[in-house]
Amino acid sequence: MYEDIKRNKIKTGIIVSLFTLMIALIIYAVCNYLGLGEFTIFFAAIFSIISAIATYYNCDKIVLASVRARPATREEDLQLTNILDGLMIASGLEYKPRLYVVESAQPNAFATGRNPKNAVICVTTGLIEKLNYRELEGVVAHELAHIKNYDIMLSAVISVMAGFVVLLSDMLCRSRFRARRNNDSDSKSGIEGILMIVGLIFLILSPIISNLIQLAVSRRREYLADATAVSFTRNPDGLISALEKISSDDCDLDVASTSNAFMYIENPFKNKRKKQASSLFSTHPSVSERVMALENLK
């Protein structure tokens, strides 16, 4: 587990650097195309660095705002808060995550935040209403496991940055550029030409790259979080039953998007969740495979 935590921290640094470079190249290509002059590289570098820093320190707030989550209260969500209090001792975590609730009939949950000190667990009202105590405990334990394993830092950064790059790419691809074009090839250096070409390539491929990065980090972490959750609860049956209920539920989760779907305990898009076998392009292992792995822990 400690090796996975170390790898997650390294992956986060690498991904932040790659996304910073990607955003810089996209901005550079667009600014160059619009003929904004010699300050293009400087502007692209400053913009990408500021966006990366803002994303890292505000990733939890951005994710929570995107799903329109509200803080959980002991008065309204007593069972949920009691479950988290009970799991804190078993988890060994020093800081208790903040609890949030999303108004949705689909039972689902995710954890986010840049580190355990700034972590958040978010569940849907459907999860609270449709799962019994032991099942809900299994789900909360699964999200606590993501926090302890530092999965949240990696997934939150990827979610926000992927959403930002896809939004930027979509906005720029739909826009009609009406800037004047400079046809004097001598006015552009070879390096500028190469950077512009690379930036345009990233602009086209960025949604694909974002999806591939999500796929690369999601599947293994779900198995590890399931196993870690069982070490907290000592009850694999609760998590098994919860996964089966979540998978079989047909309600929609309107606030889910392609940039944050991989964060949930189970794929929130019901048409994709119904596939029994894990496909190459699925961000989650199939429930049947996860249940089999959990059965082996008994």
Side-chain angles (χ1 to χ4, degrees):
M1 183 179 71
Y2 294 107
E3 286 299 318
D4 284 288
I5 292 173
K6 183 179 179 180
R7 280 195 292 267
N8 277 341
K9 292 180 178 179
I10 294 172
K11 283 180 182 178
T12 301
I14 293 173
I15 289 172
V16 169
S17 300
L18 288 175
F19 268 98
T20 303
L21 177 61
M22 186 189 302
I23 293 169
L25 288 170
I26 291 173
I27 296 299
Y28 174 82
V30 173
C31 292
N32 204 338
Y33 185 83
L34 294 174
L36 298 183
E38 58 186 7
F39 294 105
T40 297
I41 294 178
F42 177 77
F43 177 78
I46 294 299
F47 182 87
S48 61
I49 292 171
I50 291 175
S51 63
I53 294 173
T55 295
Y56 179 77
Y57 284 101
N58 296 283
C59 55
D60 56 333
K61 299 181 183 67
I62 296 171
V63 171
L64 290 173
S66 70
V67 299
R68 302 189 293 275
R70 65 164 176 83
T73 63
R74 184 167 291 276
E75 292 74 22
E76 293 182 84
D77 312 290
L78 180 60
Q79 180 175 246
L80 182 65
T81 55
N82 285 343
I83 286 174
L84 179 59
D85 289 341
L87 287 171
M88 285 302 298
I89 297 175
S91 69
L93 286 167
E94 182 179 358
Y95 301 99
K96 186 164 73 171
R98 290 169 289 149
L99 279 173
Y100 278 77
V101 177
V102 174
E103 296 292 334
S104 175
Q106 182 187 110
N108 223 319
F110 67 85
T112 187
R114 66 180 185 272
N115 54 43
K117 188 176 180 179
N118 298 278
V120 171
I121 293 177
C122 189
V123 306
T124 64
T125 51
L127 190 84
I128 297 172
E129 294 166 359
K130 297 178 181 180
L131 270 58
N132 63 37
Y133 184 93
R134 291 304 176 190
E135 293 164 345
L136 187 58
E137 181 186 51
V139 172
V140 175
H142 174 95
E143 302 308 330
L144 270 179
H146 280 313
I147 294 170
K148 186 167 185 175
N149 298 342
Y150 275 80
D151 292 326
I152 56 165
M153 177 172 63
L154 185 59
S155 61
V157 168
I158 291 174
S159 174
V160 175
M161 287 190 166
F164 176 78
V165 171
V166 171
L167 178 64
L168 180 63
S169 300
D170 184 67
M171 179 182 67
L172 294 174
C173 288
R174 291 173 181 271
S175 298
R176 295 181 179 180
F177 297 114
R178 294 183 177 179
R180 66 180 186 277
R181 297 186 184 185
N182 189 346
N183 293 320
D184 185 4
S185 59
D186 294 333
S187 65
K188 294 181 179 179
S189 67
I191 295 178
E192 285 181 328
I194 292 172
L195 284 174
M196 187 175 70
I197 292 171
V198 173
L200 289 172
I201 291 173
F202 271 115
L203 179 62
I204 296 169
L205 297 181
S206 57
I208 300 173
I209 294 172
S210 298
N211 288 335
L212 289 176
I213 292 174
Q214 292 175 16
L215 292 174
V217 302
S218 298
R219 296 164 71 93
R220 172 176 165 76
R221 74 187 186 95
E222 293 302 327
Y223 287 118
L224 181 60
D226 287 345
T228 306
V230 172
S231 73
F232 296 162
T233 64
R234 304 296 179 184
N235 179 26
D237 290 329
L239 183 55
I240 289 172
S241 179
L243 288 173
E244 290 173 341
K245 279 189 178 180
I246 293 170
S247 179
S248 62
D249 191 89
D250 287 330
C251 293
D252 292 319
L253 184 56
D254 295 334
V255 295
S257 66
T258 54
S259 64
N260 64 29
F262 74 103
M263 297 177 63
Y264 291 87
I265 188 172
E266 174 59 359
N267 193 328
F269 300 123
K270 61 182 182 180
N271 59 325
K272 296 180 180 179
R273 282 195 282 118
K274 289 181 178 179
K275 296 181 180 179
Q276 292 299 314
S278 294
S279 70
L280 180 63
F281 300 101
S282 173
T283 57
H284 292 73
S286 70
V287 167
S288 60
E289 290 174 338
R290 292 172 69 178
V291 167
M292 186 181 302
L294 287 167
E295 291 283 358
N296 291 332
L297 296 178
K298 292 183 179 180

